[in-house]
Amino acid sequence: MECVRAAVCAGADAVYLGLGEFNARRNADNFTMESLREAAEFAHLRGVSIYITLNIEILPSEIDRAVQFARDAFAAGCDAFIVQDLGLCATLREQLPSAPIHISTQMNIHNKAGVQACARLGATRVTLARELSFAEISELSSEAAQLGMEVETFAHGALCVCYSGQCLMSSLIGGRSANRGLCAQACRLPYELTAKEAPASALHTATSEQAAQESQAASTPQEPHAIQESHTAPAPQESHAAHHSCSAQPASHISHTSHTAQSAQSPTGDHLLSPRDLCTAEVLPELIATGTSSLKIEGRMKSVSYVYTVVSVYRRILDRLYAGDNPRPTPDEQTALSQAFSRGFTTAYLNAQRGNSIMSYGRPNNRGVFIGRTECSFHKQDAGKSSSQQHSAPQQYSARQQFTRKQAFEQRKHTQNTALSATTCVYVTSSVQLFAGDVLEIYTNKGNVVYQLLQSDIDAYPHQGFGCSLNHADLPKSATKGNRIFRVRAARNEFVEQPFEPRIPVHLDAVFELGKPAHIAFHISRTWHGYVRMNCADTLSGEAWGEAVAPARTKELTEHDVFAHINRLGQTPFCIVSHSIRLSEGVGGSFSDIHRLRSQALSVLEKEIYTAHQVFSRAQARVHPDDSLSKSADLEQLVHPRSPMQRCTSTAQNPSVVAWATNPRCARAAKRAGASMLYLPIVGYKRDQASLQGVRQVQPEQGGYPKQKIMCLPTINHDPLKGTRESRIPFDVWQYVVPGKRVFCDSFSAAFRALELGADVEIGPHVPITNTASVRLLEDMGVKRVWLSPELTLGQIAFIAERTSISMGLCVSGAQEMMVTEHCLLMSEGACNEQCPQCERRSRAHALHDRKGYNFPVITDMFGRSHLYNGVALDAVPSIPDLLDVGIDAFMVDTTLLSPEESSRAVARVQKAIDCAGSTHISLEKLVGTTTGHLFRGVQ
């Protein structure tokens, strides 16, 4: 609740809340229904909306509970729901038609087709993918407006390296699903990018033109900011630029197993999946000009002070922008944002940047603001102490240890006047004024130390200007002259909660005329932000009348007395900013009557505000479109099995083995081994873009693909606007979508567009599909087959299959894609020319090597987007008898990382498993060193 108060006090127009278990931050201190009512009452009275996050995958048995959960939340006062799951979205539109629905960024909406599909779902707002440029946001905002919707864009906070809703890394590695609100942030861990020479079949010699391009890229990098800073600390003014320009990038070191001609300008650091934080404070005018209706600030799982500081800065900048004043952040505002939380800032994809300048290779956590370096240090030891005593007193702690800052602060307050056996004394001259309670982080050659300042530290600074003396046992002996120091928390920016704030400005009208009823009225000032928030044209007022005013019996009322008693608003959310009081001469009255009239008028005013907000909130829900994708959703049908007559069993009696192939050789091998259909990714279909075992084959093969094939649209497909990869690379993936022919669509937007074009659509596992309602929706849309999410268990698959009749498939063997990123992971090798279709680096096999020794293969496609695969291959083939029993009728082998021989064996093995299941119901043995994924362990 404190964060809600902080956001509202800072000027937020709406606040997203996590409630219970159905939200993307399940580890946060989420709200209950009771605290939701309190938050809604507090916010609505100030014209602020409350949105509830239901932005996770909904598992099969949860759909009815999630809908009831939404009903209760709507009754408790929430104004809208933000939703990821297709089935939940469709069901809510039917069950709660008056509740506005916002599409979560987890649904991965990044093109016009996606916006159009959301409109057909009945959504009122779409939160766009983070990987969009100004031009794209402008185009999608215009499209949404024509369809009666708004768009919301991220303005500040953490960036995921993977497209939202597409990440399985946390899930497959540790069972904690990012799509279920339990991301383990494996992307913030250290990795080493390794490269090895390609298989002989994929080797080639670069042409002189390609070599010249690579050479030019090394000498003239596209993103100079990525290499400007060294690993050593910059001077204070240099650090100021780094943290306030939102563009500089610290350098870092990356090791490579086999990479010739390594650029001397390569970035350094091993956090290869860790982006900087998004900060749009510098470009708010450009962002507002796109037509976006809402700016989203990431605030959950952050401190109250972070919420208050960041929202306050953006509120002030927006107010200046609309007032015609300077809309750029001041130096103090830039500093405040950096100190609140920062991994280094970037505007990222807004400016069509996708290279190393958007990454925080050197550090995955808060870096704060650089304030200076240690000037001198010495170590003193008290006499009379034993050697063991002398070395036992210093206590070093870091942000990663359980020893908290508060504990350290209290310990130092207790021991600051006590003789210590060993003390490190460090002086720091700061570029900014320091205050008691500030938290500093000191970079030493043996790690970092977090230090919270006492007033005595500041008072002990022996020089003029700003600085402090760090003279306590918390510092190790490794703290020496020249250590860099950052302020990671500013005490002056801490949020101090005050009851009833922020107050609502009102104008007072009071009339006390002889013989007429006493009258007190409050009118909310037109300067109140709530009028704009609620699109309210009428002035909101509350008034009350008393008995006829009589002459004074003793002391007559004065204007001062009347105002003083009416202005006793300390226990209310209102404050009088102007007043008009009319008094007849000689009038009297009791102060208790004045207090009663004041309370009555304010009570009426509160009801007027709540009513105005409710009218505004309910008006946001869209009228159910005639061509809506949402059909009548009977919850009973979603949770109870269909009868055998309703279920389609013909395909299950004749199951098919199919292969995902990225090159002709593996495709032909799979076909010969028994694959009935080949699924070919369009982005690798061109003869010079095929890949074998993750390596691009430059020399075209003599043989082509077999005829029995289904073309597969990519998960990511931007509209070809200026600055996008699609505009730079003249290759239209939609040329392969033909009316009446099958096409595999791995995004909801692609499926919607393909259906509009008259194609027969199969939905891929990246959508994802995890419940009966989602399958029913797709079935009603005309989808022919659904490839289920890899996060489902066998029991959950059975639950869905019993309640639907559509053909369903599952990948049972081969590579499992964990991420797709707009940033090319191969860029960590150094500067490149971004000529992705001919990129020489793609001719080597790359992988991310983690601390436990696992290697996660990396493949970059012709558009420069990287695909990260699990380091352990999938083998669910032994479960094929059970999968057949529950109704799965298509089994896929992914040959992306396989040789032709391995592809042949894998397909033949699946066919054998199907044959054995039909004749003897015997399962094959699981392959050594493989995983069954989530088929039995599920996700949290």
Side-chain angles (χ1 to χ4, degrees):
M1 186 62 196
E2 192 178 10
C3 280
V4 173
R5 294 182 184 276
V8 174
C9 284
D13 299 310
V15 183
Y16 282 104
L17 305 183
L19 187 65
E21 60 186 311
F22 297 112
N23 71 89
R25 297 291 187 278
R26 287 165 61 194
N27 282 334
D29 186 12
N30 289 309
F31 282 70
T32 63
M33 287 296 174
E34 183 177 348
S35 58
L36 168 60
R37 291 186 183 92
E38 179 187 356
E41 181 179 335
F42 172 82
H44 290 171
L45 188 57
R46 291 156 178 84
V48 176
S49 296
I50 294 293
Y51 303 145
I52 295 300
T53 55
L54 296 175
N55 52 341
I56 63 169
E57 296 173 354
I58 304 298
L59 296 179
S61 61
E62 296 175 338
I63 190 72
D64 55 339
R65 189 155 47 94
V67 172
Q68 184 58 50
F69 191 82
R71 283 200 188 98
D72 294 342
F74 199 56
C78 89
D79 299 295
F81 299 100
I82 182 168
V83 180
Q84 172 192 4
D85 189 89
L86 286 174
L88 180 60
C89 183
T91 307
L92 287 178
R93 283 296 291 135
E94 293 295 332
Q95 300 290 323
L96 280 175
S98 59
I101 292 177
H102 300 176
I103 298 300
S104 169
T105 190
Q106 290 287 108
M107 204 178 282
N108 187 26
I109 303 302
H110 59 273
N111 53 34
K112 273 189 177 182
V115 172
Q116 293 164 0
C118 292
R120 292 279 293 277
L121 281 171
T124 62
R125 178 183 291 180
V126 180
T127 305
L128 299 176
R130 296 175 175 91
E131 293 82 356
L132 296 174
S133 66
F134 287 127
E136 291 178 281
I137 295 172
S138 180
E139 187 78 7
L140 298 186
S141 295
S142 177
E143 182 70 19
Q146 294 178 34
L147 296 168
M149 293 191 302
E150 301 174 335
V151 300
E152 179 172 86
T153 55
F154 278 86
H156 193 94
L159 284 173
C160 295
V161 69
C162 179
Y163 274 85
S164 293
Q166 305 304 304
C167 186
L168 295 175
M169 189 172 193
S170 174
S171 168
L172 291 176
I173 291 177
R176 294 174 53 184
S177 173
N179 298 320
R180 294 274 296 161
L182 289 173
C183 179
Q185 297 197 44
C187 54
R188 301 295 181 183
L189 296 175
Y191 297 92
E192 175 189 1
L193 181 66
T194 64
K196 62 182 179 180
E197 293 305 326
S201 57
L203 286 174
H204 76 288
T205 303
T207 66
S208 58
E209 181 181 356
Q210 291 168 334
Q213 289 174 340
E214 291 292 328
S215 176
Q216 180 183 4
S219 60
T220 310
Q222 297 292 311
E223 298 163 294
H225 290 299
I227 54 170
Q228 300 265 329
E229 296 185 29
S230 66
H231 189 57
T232 57
Q237 62 268 27
E238 293 171 336
S239 179
H240 185 275
H243 290 287
H244 299 320
S245 68
C246 298
S247 61
Q249 168 67 41
S252 356
H253 174 69
I254 301 184
S255 12
H256 307 281
T257 304
S258 173
H259 177 39
T260 58
Q262 169 69 16
S263 170
Q265 296 176 328
S266 296
T268 59
D270 54 4
H271 296 280
L272 305 186
L273 297 176
S274 179
R276 289 174 168 234
D277 289 341
L278 177 66
C279 175
T280 64
E282 289 275 8
V283 295
L284 272 190
E286 293 85 342
L287 189 54
I288 296 301
T290 65
T292 186
S293 301
S294 177
L295 303 177
K296 192 165 192 173
I297 295 172
E298 181 221 6
R300 299 179 60 207
M301 302 291 284
K302 292 290 198 302
S303 69
V304 174
S305 294
Y306 169 92
V307 172
Y308 182 75
T309 298
V310 176
V311 174
S312 295
V313 169
Y314 279 84
R315 177 79 272 164
R316 290 195 297 270
I317 296 174
L318 280 177
D319 289 346
R320 293 199 300 267
L321 173 64
Y322 291 126
D325 297 330
N326 184 2
R328 307 299 177 182
T330 65
D332 286 344
E333 288 170 339
Q334 291 171 323
T335 300
L337 291 176
S338 294
Q339 287 175 159
F341 191 94
S342 165
R343 298 179 179 92
F345 286 140
T346 177
T347 54
Y349 310 103
L350 290 173
N351 290 310
Q353 296 296 315
R354 53 188 292 276
N356 292 330
S357 64
I358 76 170
M359 301 300 290
S360 181
Y361 290 140
R363 178 166 183 173
N365 48 16
N366 186 24
R367 66 180 62 191
V369 174
F370 177 76
I371 64 169
R373 294 176 180 271
T374 54
E375 290 188 343
C376 61
S377 65
F378 62 88
H379 310 282
K380 65 180 182 180
Q381 295 183 351
D382 294 337
K385 300 284 186 178
S386 67
S387 176
S388 61
Q389 289 176 316
Q390 290 173 355
H391 291 285
S392 62
Q395 184 162 11
Q396 178 183 1
Y397 61 96
S398 72
R400 297 183 180 88
Q401 292 178 301
Q402 295 300 312
F403 189 67
T404 66
R405 292 171 178 170
K406 183 176 180 181
Q407 290 171 327
F409 188 59
E410 295 300 323
Q411 177 178 311
R412 288 176 50 237
K413 286 173 63 178
H414 176 71
T415 61
Q416 62 178 325
N417 296 319
T418 305
L420 297 172
S421 62
T423 303
T424 300
C425 183
V426 173
Y427 295 109
V428 180
T429 296
S430 174
S431 59
V432 297
Q433 186 176 3
L434 301 175
F435 299 94
D438 284 356
V439 176
L440 309 182
E441 187 162 8
I442 306 169
Y443 285 55
T444 78
N445 59 6
K446 294 185 179 179
N448 302 345
V449 180
V450 176
Y451 189 102
Q452 188 165 19
L453 288 177
L454 300 172
Q455 186 59 48
S456 58
D457 298 327
I458 300 170
D459 295 340
Y461 181 63
H463 307 303
Q464 296 294 321
F466 302 141
C468 61
S469 173
L470 312 183
N471 188 15
H472 294 286
D474 301 306
L475 297 180
K477 291 186 178 181
S478 58
T480 59
K481 183 177 180 180
N483 293 145
R484 294 174 296 161
I485 298 187
F486 292 78
R487 181 163 65 180
V488 295
R489 193 178 75 192
R492 286 295 176 95
N493 291 339
E494 294 293 300
F495 173 69
V496 179
E497 185 174 357
Q498 299 180 10
F500 306 104
E501 294 291 340
R503 296 182 186 269
I504 303 165
V506 296
H507 171 78
L508 164 66
D509 275 328
V511 180
F512 292 84
E513 295 182 341
L514 284 173
K516 295 181 179 180
H519 178 240
I520 291 179
F522 294 100
H523 314 283
I524 297 182
S525 169
R526 295 304 304 185
T527 62
W528 184 49
H529 268 296
Y531 283 122
V532 177
R533 291 170 182 148
M534 298 187 298
N535 194 25
C536 185
D538 299 328
T539 299
L540 298 176
S541 303
E543 51 189 346
W545 285 266
E547 297 179 353
V549 178
R553 295 180 179 179
T554 53
K555 181 181 177 181
E556 66 179 86
L557 290 176
T558 66
E559 181 178 335
H560 177 271
D561 291 336
V562 171
F563 179 74
H565 281 270
I566 295 178
N567 195 35
R568 294 180 180 179
L569 303 179
Q571 298 302 304
T572 76
F574 301 97
C575 64
I576 298 175
V577 294
S578 61
H579 66 276
S580 172
I581 299 176
R582 285 184 291 160
L583 290 175
S584 296
E585 186 175 351
V587 299
S590 71
F591 292 137
S592 61
D593 288 339
I594 293 176
H595 298 163
R596 178 176 51 79
L597 289 179
R598 177 198 65 203
S599 298
Q600 290 176 354
L602 291 178
S603 177
V604 172
L605 180 56
E606 287 191 10
K607 292 178 181 178
E608 286 290 310
I609 297 173
Y610 286 131
T611 300
H613 189 277
Q614 186 176 40
V615 169
F616 165 75
S617 178
R618 297 302 179 261
Q620 303 309 300
R622 295 181 63 223
V623 176
H624 210 305
D626 294 335
D627 58 352
S628 172
L629 299 178
S630 306
K631 304 297 181 181
S632 180
D634 187 340
L635 288 180
E636 290 296 317
Q637 293 179 5
L638 298 180
V639 296
H640 292 295
R642 287 188 171 183
S643 67
M645 293 297 293
Q646 291 177 297
R647 295 177 57 197
C648 178
T649 57
S650 60
T651 53
Q653 294 172 357
N654 187 26
S656 59
V657 181
V658 305
W660 181 280
T662 59
N663 63 82
R665 290 178 59 193
C666 287
R668 294 194 300 270
K671 179 62 179 174
R672 287 193 297 268
S676 61
M677 189 62 66
L678 299 165
Y679 286 66
L680 310 179
I682 295 174
V683 292
Y685 189 65
K686 290 181 66 177
R687 294 178 71 84
D688 65 341
Q689 295 300 321
S691 66
L692 174 61
Q693 295 179 273
V695 177
R696 183 172 73 97
Q697 294 181 286
V698 176
Q699 299 297 335
E701 294 186 22
Q702 295 300 318
Y705 290 99
K707 292 182 179 180
Q708 295 80 3
K709 58 180 179 289
I710 291 176
M711 304 307 291
C712 304
L713 289 163
T715 306
I716 308 301
N717 178 227
H718 289 244
D719 297 321
L721 300 175
K722 184 178 179 180
T724 63
R725 306 300 298 164
E726 281 74 4
S727 69
R728 294 181 59 178
I729 299 170
F731 180 71
D732 182 14
V733 299
W734 288 93
Q735 64 184 295
Y736 295 96
V737 179
V738 179
K741 288 193 174 183
R742 287 265 175 145
V743 63
F744 178 95
C745 301
D746 227 357
S747 70
F748 183 57
S749 58
F752 176 81
R753 181 175 175 182
L755 286 168
E756 294 284 292
L757 293 174
D760 292 340
V761 170
E762 296 190 13
I763 283 279
H766 278 278
V767 171
I769 303 303
T770 58
N771 56 65
T772 306
S774 296
V775 176
R776 293 276 187 88
L777 172 68
L778 297 173
E779 190 174 3
D780 291 340
M781 288 171 60
V783 170
K784 302 301 182 183
R785 175 179 285 164
V786 171
W787 292 90
L788 295 174
S789 166
E791 294 193 312
L792 291 173
T793 65
L794 180 61
Q796 290 163 346
I797 293 172
F799 186 100
I800 295 173
E802 288 177 348
R803 291 157 179 82
T804 56
S805 58
I806 196 172
S807 170
M808 291 189 294
L810 190 71
C811 184
V812 294
S813 177
Q816 284 185 291
E817 185 176 288
M818 300 194 302
M819 278 189 182
V820 55
T821 69
E822 186 69 15
H823 165 71
C824 175
L825 301 182
L826 306 187
M827 285 183 174
S828 63
E829 291 186 339
C832 83
N833 57 17
E834 298 197 37
Q835 300 299 315
C836 303
Q838 294 80 38
C839 177
E840 185 271 337
R841 295 178 190 178
R842 294 174 59 209
S843 66
R844 294 189 299 275
H846 289 81
L848 291 183
H849 183 77
D850 75 357
R851 299 174 301 172
K852 295 185 177 181
Y854 288 96
N855 292 302
F856 302 96
V858 177
I859 302 174
T860 294
D861 63 33
M862 66 180 297
F863 290 103
R865 296 183 179 111
S866 288
H867 305 258
L868 183 67
Y869 290 84
N870 194 5
V872 180
L874 173 70
D875 182 22
V877 175
S879 300
I880 283 179
D882 296 323
L883 291 168
L884 285 169
D885 287 344
V886 302
I888 298 298
D889 55 59
F891 300 91
M892 179 178 286
V893 175
D894 191 323
T895 70
T896 299
L897 299 175
L898 303 181
S899 67
E901 295 76 16
E902 291 169 330
S903 300
S904 178
R905 289 196 296 269
V907 170
R909 183 166 174 266
V910 173
Q911 187 61 62
K912 180 180 179 181
I914 293 175
D915 294 341
C916 289
S919 58
T920 62
H921 210 77
I922 296 176
S923 299
L924 302 185
E925 290 291 328
K926 178 173 170 287
L927 297 178
V928 176
T930 60
T931 177
T932 56
H934 290 296
L935 205 55
F936 298 104
R937 67 172 179 168
V939 294
Q940 296 183 31

